[in-house]
Amino acid sequence: MRWLILALCGAALFIYARFADLALLSLLSKGIPVIALLLWLRQAPAGTYSRWIRIGLLCSLAGDILLDWPGDLFVFGLGAFLLAHLAYLRAYLSDCKRPAWAALIIAVIVGGGMFSILASAGLGPLLIPVMCYATAIGAMLWRALARVNLPGINPNGAWLAAIGAILFVLSDSLIGIERFVTPFSAAPYAIIVTYWLGQWAIAASAQRRFR
């Protein structure tokens, strides 16, 4: 419970800093919710799955800082979150390698749709990096969905991982739309709330992995 309170306090502080345009406070508070999740995961069952979820959270924390750092470090932030998606992909592959064709089709549609929307706005030199990112996020979503209803895995944990992956994809899609397609005033808040909820669900899946 104390880590949840820490995460909520950090989230509230960051949203206040964004609303009040306090850049330094925004930078210092943005990573608090993810740090709280990392501390919470010390209680998770040990194993490959939880280890890679922790690595994914660490990469996400780096991405949080890079995206808020003074100056345009978007490409570096993109790289950090790419590593986070690959870490989550590795976690999901640790206990499920079935093809799950329906999940694959959904992931291809989502990843391909996301890339098509962004590419239509003209990405310039970011075309290849964004294509690689969309591929990685689609693969992560595929493997998260593939674990649902898998024998031996806690169904609640599997659904938490799937919902977390969906929210993470939504958050990243909103970042791309806001940056490359059409900015909108609610974007910063929609992006961060879906991102935090997604990270919480993914971390919670490590707590409830087994039946």
Side-chain angles (χ1 to χ4, degrees):
M1 179 60 73
R2 65 183 183 276
W3 305 127
L4 176 60
I5 294 173
L6 175 62
L8 290 174
C9 289
L13 190 60
F14 173 78
I15 291 174
Y16 166 75
R18 269 297 166 87
F19 184 77
D21 197 23
L22 302 173
L24 181 58
L25 182 59
S26 172
L27 176 64
L28 294 175
S29 60
K30 188 177 184 182
I32 293 176
V34 173
I35 292 172
L37 291 177
L38 283 164
L39 294 171
W40 180 47
L41 274 183
R42 293 186 303 173
Q43 305 167 11
T48 302
Y49 185 89
S50 59
R51 181 169 64 251
W52 282 101
I53 296 299
R54 289 189 189 96
I55 292 171
L57 286 171
L58 284 170
C59 293
S60 297
L61 179 60
D64 286 337
I65 295 170
L66 289 168
L67 288 183
D68 251 35
W69 197 262
D72 189 359
L73 297 179
F74 179 77
V75 173
F76 298 98
L78 190 73
F81 281 114
L82 173 64
L83 293 176
H85 288 302
L86 293 176
Y88 293 149
L89 172 63
R90 177 64 181 85
Y92 300 148
L93 283 170
S94 69
D95 58 12
C96 175
K97 294 182 175 62
R98 64 174 180 172
W101 301 115
L104 175 59
I105 292 170
I106 292 171
V108 168
I109 291 172
V110 171
M114 172 185 171
F115 176 71
S116 297
I117 291 171
L118 299 181
S120 67
L123 294 172
L126 288 177
L127 180 66
I128 300 302
V130 171
M131 181 174 65
C132 295
Y133 192 89
T135 302
I137 202 171
M140 186 273 296
L141 178 61
W142 170 35
R143 299 320 307 169
L145 295 175
R147 297 174 70 250
V148 174
N149 295 326
L150 187 70
I153 296 178
N154 186 319
N156 291 336
W159 276 109
L160 281 167
I163 292 169
I166 292 168
L167 288 169
F168 205 166
V169 170
L170 176 58
S171 177
D172 280 346
S173 299
L174 290 173
I175 290 175
I177 291 170
E178 196 274 337
R179 184 177 178 91
F180 299 113
V181 182
T182 175
F184 55 103
S185 58
Y189 307 104
I191 288 167
I192 200 64
V193 170
T194 52
Y195 166 73
W196 280 331
L197 289 174
Q199 295 283 31
W200 171 82
I202 291 171
S205 74
Q207 295 279 15
R208 306 193 64 177
R209 180 184 169 208
F210 298 107
R211 289 187 182 277

